[in-house]
Amino acid sequence: TGTVNPGNNETTPKCPPGKYSLKSGLVGQHECLDCPAGKACLGGENLPVPCDPGHFCPEGTTKPDQYSCYPGTYTERTGLTSASECSQCPKGRYCAGDEKKTEELKKCSVGRYCERGTAAGKEKLCPSGRSCILIIPFLSLSLSLSLSLSLFFFYLYLRDSYILLVIL
C-alpha cells in the first residue's frame, strides 16, 4: 500500500504498523524505524503515540492498547515500556490488569481477602471459623488544660459465634 505521487503516478511507500518515519517521500519501507518502547506506531504516515493507561508498549508495538498490564497489576500512567513498570494491585483490591484508574480496581468480596498483587478470580477465602478482620476507627477527644486527641482501633473477630473485641 502507499500514497500516489501526483507528479508521476508512482506509489510512495508507507511504513507498516510497528514502524514509523519522520521523513516524507520514502523510497522503501527499509527507511522506516522500529517504533520506540513506550509508544505505539499505527503505520502509514502516523507518528508514534504514547501507550494507553493500563497498558505497556515494548519496541515495535502496533496499537496503544496492544499489551495490557498483567493480572494483579495496573497503571494510570501512559508510555510504559514493559510489564515490570505496572504497579501491583493494593491490599484489599484485585486487578484484571487493564484498569486505567485506581477507582476501577475492584474490592475483595465479602468473606474473602486480597493481598497486594491479587489478580481477578484469585481472592483468598478467610480462614475457616473466622471472618476477615473488620477495623473500626474511633476518634476520642478529651478537653482539659490542653486538647488531646487519641485514636482507637477496635478489631472484631468472629469465631465460633463469639465476638472478641480488642481495644488498642
Side-chain angles (χ1 to χ4, degrees), residues 79-99:
L80 271 60
T81 61
S82 71
S84 65
E85 293 179 273
C86 297
S87 301
Q88 282 193 330
C89 202
K91 283 183 180 181
R93 307 261 178 183
Y94 64 88
C95 306
D98 60 353
E99 292 90 354

Side-chain angles (χ1 to χ4, degrees), residues 30-52:
H30 65 278
E31 295 180 291
C32 299
L33 305 169
D34 286 333
C35 195
K39 306 273 185 186
C41 297
L42 308 174
E45 297 172 356
N46 296 305
L47 293 175
V49 295
C51 198
D52 285 351

Side-chain angles (χ1 to χ4, degrees), residues 45-111:
E45 297 172 356
N46 296 305
L47 293 175
V49 295
C51 198
D52 285 351
H55 299 82
F56 63 96
C57 294
E59 184 178 303
T61 299
T62 60
K63 296 183 287 183
D65 62 354
Q66 186 172 349
Y67 300 101
S68 292
C69 288
Y70 298 144
T73 65
Y74 78 104
T75 186
E76 294 181 356
R77 299 180 296 148
T78 61
L80 271 60
T81 61
S82 71
S84 65
E85 293 179 273
C86 297
S87 301
Q88 282 193 330
C89 202
K91 283 183 180 181
R93 307 261 178 183
Y94 64 88
C95 306
D98 60 353
E99 292 90 354
K100 298 170 179 75
K101 297 179 181 176
T102 304
E103 298 84 43
E104 293 178 1
L105 304 180
K106 314 292 184 295
K107 289 182 181 179
C108 283
S109 304
V110 174

Side-chain angles (χ1 to χ4, degrees), residues 139-153:
L139 201 54
S140 169
L141 294 174
S142 65
L143 294 170
S144 55
L145 293 175
S146 64
L147 178 70
S148 67
L149 178 68
S150 55
L151 184 62
F152 293 96
F153 286 97

Side-chain angles (χ1 to χ4, degrees), residues 124-148:
K124 295 182 179 179
L125 286 172
C126 293
S128 179
R130 292 187 178 175
S131 71
C132 292
I133 298 172
L134 172 65
I135 301 175
I136 306 170
F138 267 11
L139 201 54
S140 169
L141 294 174
S142 65
L143 294 170
S144 55
L145 293 175
S146 64
L147 178 70
S148 67

